[in-house]
Amino acid sequence: MRTMLREKEHVSLAVLGAIALSAVPGVVSAQCVATTDCASLGYKSSKDDGGCLKCPFGNGYYCPERCEASYQYTCTGANEVKPSSAACSNRYEKCDCNSGYEWNSGACKQCDSKYKYTCTGANESKGADSCGGKYSACQCATNYEWNSTSGKCESVAVLGVCTGKAQSCSVGQILNNDGSCSNDKVSGKTPIGVVVYISGGTDKCGYAMTASPIQRSIMWSSEYVNTGAFQSSSWQNAIKDFDVSGNMTKIIQTANGNSSKYPAAYAALNYAPSAAPTSKGKWMLPTAGILNSLYTNLNAINNTISKIGGTQLTGDNEHIWSSSEYGHNLAWVFCTDTGASYGGVTNYGKGNASSGYVVRPVLAF
């Protein structure tokens, strides 16, 4: 009977949430008592905001986590990485991806092979088109442009300076205001000239000429002296003259600030297109050698002149002054009249200012 009563007693205690454990008298005795602390039991909310369970021992509530439908990804799939962003019930709105993969339409998909640049090199910054942390091309610092062949930001030509970058250009191309060359107009760039000559020598220099005359009906000089610039009475020698800077320097030194005596040279010196104002003082009269290159490549150059809205050189409509002298009273000019020209040049009096005598200056790059 005592045994049956003891068993019933233990059952009652279990129902009440208290269990008594007895051992041999005098050895050990312990008892566990059920808690009534709502917070420790998980009823941590102070109010019911809908769908919560109330604690039976007080006013605490247990409110199950409710996630928006956008939290649907576990981020445990192939090439998926759990993001650092907040999760809801161990699910995320999107996943991070391993290198070479990008999150797309609910999965990490492999990037196209064109996305291969980190854009962390010299003069590089992150491009606009990316995938998996890499880019199809990089943005470049000022005076640099992206070269898709080398996959690097490379320096562009500096206007008025022979940098060697002209070797990547071709005669007949457009020279843009950022120092780059192109076959056609490029959005965001302004054409400032047409490439008429590229040196094959050690200076690796290129020259671009304006697409239209900047001055018409202008004389070379009002005085008849030797300036010290290149001089030859032979057209075969004249077309070998490419000392653009040297000739121009000597003419300006001879003028000694008197622009009215050497108007052609000063017209070039004072010219600068609005798209490249820093080029002022760097435009020069072409040499006879450059005019010969113009003559040799006239079709390609005329085609580009037309693209950028310039004045084509047709027939013998223009005699472009060079900086090369024939003698103290004559200078070499561009001429396409086969009866009078030799290699695209002929000589005329320095004081001639008829309507066909023009200045089309050139700019080194």
Side-chain angles (χ1 to χ4, degrees):
M1 180 63 72
R2 289 181 179 178
T3 299
M4 293 176 63
L5 289 173
R6 184 168 295 172
E7 289 175 351
K8 289 181 179 180
E9 182 179 310
H10 279 300
V11 170
S12 298
L13 289 173
V15 173
L16 293 173
I19 301 174
L21 299 177
S22 299
V24 177
V27 179
V28 67
S29 179
Q31 184 176 8
C32 293
V33 180
T35 180
T36 59
D37 181 2
C38 291
S40 64
L41 290 172
Y43 297 91
K44 298 181 178 181
S45 179
S46 61
K47 63 180 181 178
D48 182 1
D49 59 358
C52 300
L53 299 176
K54 186 176 184 302
C55 178
F57 306 112
N59 292 323
Y61 295 88
Y62 170 73
C63 300
E65 187 175 30
R66 290 185 291 276
C67 301
E68 298 290 339
S70 58
Y71 289 87
Q72 55 181 307
Y73 303 108
T74 60
C75 299
T76 55
N79 296 296
E80 295 178 359
V81 179
K82 291 182 178 181
S84 58
S85 58
C88 187
S89 293
N90 294 318
R91 291 179 179 270
Y92 302 85
E93 290 187 296
K94 60 176 291 186
C95 306
D96 290 339
C97 300
N98 289 331
S99 178
Y101 290 81
E102 183 179 51
W103 184 253
N104 190 340
S105 301
C108 285
K109 297 182 179 179
Q110 190 170 17
C111 298
D112 188 276
S113 59
K114 70 178 182 178
Y115 297 99
K116 56 185 178 183
Y117 303 108
T118 59
C119 298
T120 55
N123 301 296
E124 295 177 358
S125 59
K126 294 178 180 179
D129 184 24
S130 66
C131 182
K134 293 188 176 181
Y135 304 84
S136 60
C138 304
Q139 297 283 355
C140 300
T142 302
N143 293 328
Y144 288 82
E145 65 179 352
W146 181 251
N147 186 321
S148 58
T149 301
S150 65
K152 297 179 181 179
C153 285
E154 298 182 352
S155 61
V156 297
V158 178
L159 300 179
V161 179
C162 294
T163 61
K165 297 305 295 182
Q167 293 300 303
S168 62
C169 302
S170 302
V171 172
Q173 285 190 310
I174 297 167
L175 177 67
N176 296 299
N177 63 326
D178 65 350
S180 65
C181 298
S182 60
N183 292 322
D184 298 289
K185 285 186 176 182
V186 178
S187 177
K189 299 182 180 185
T190 303
I192 60 171
V194 182
V195 181
V196 293
Y197 176 73
I198 296 176
S199 168
T202 56
D203 61 349
K204 296 180 173 58
C205 193
Y207 288 92
M209 180 178 283
T210 58
S212 295
I214 64 165
Q215 189 77 46
R216 291 184 179 274
S217 304
I218 187 171
M219 71 175 73
W220 198 91
S221 174
S222 64
E223 61 181 8
Y224 300 105
V225 299
N226 294 322
T227 65
F230 172 90
Q231 183 179 122
S232 176
S233 60
S234 164
W235 71 268
Q236 291 94 337
N237 288 332
I239 62 174
K240 295 177 184 177
D241 177 26
F242 294 96
D243 190 9
V244 179
S245 179
N247 287 355
M248 190 72 173
T249 298
K250 290 170 183 176
I251 294 169
I252 296 301
Q253 286 175 343
T254 302
N256 194 28
N258 193 335
S259 60
S260 63
K261 286 187 177 182
Y262 293 84
Y266 273 91
L269 188 68
N270 292 323
Y271 173 71
S274 58
T278 58
S279 66
K280 185 174 182 178
K282 299 175 182 179
W283 292 84
M284 297 171 277
L285 294 178
T287 61
I290 288 180
L291 292 181
N292 173 249
S293 179
L294 168 63
Y295 178 74
T296 303
N297 299 280
L298 190 56
N299 287 338
I301 292 169
N302 265 334
N303 182 50
T304 303
I305 287 175
S306 179
K307 287 181 182 179
I308 59 178
T311 304
Q312 288 191 332
L313 293 157
T314 57
D316 196 33
N317 62 327
E318 290 181 16
H319 293 155
I320 303 169
W321 286 116
S322 80
S323 60
S324 306
E325 293 183 276
Y326 179 95
H328 73 281
N329 61 337
L330 301 170
W332 291 99
V333 298
F334 177 75
C335 179
T336 60
D337 183 352
T338 56
S341 64
Y342 308 94
V345 295
T346 192
N347 57 84
Y348 280 98
K350 293 179 178 178
N352 199 321
S354 60
S355 61
Y357 287 78
V358 305
V359 172
R360 285 198 191 222
V362 293
L363 181 70
F365 69 98

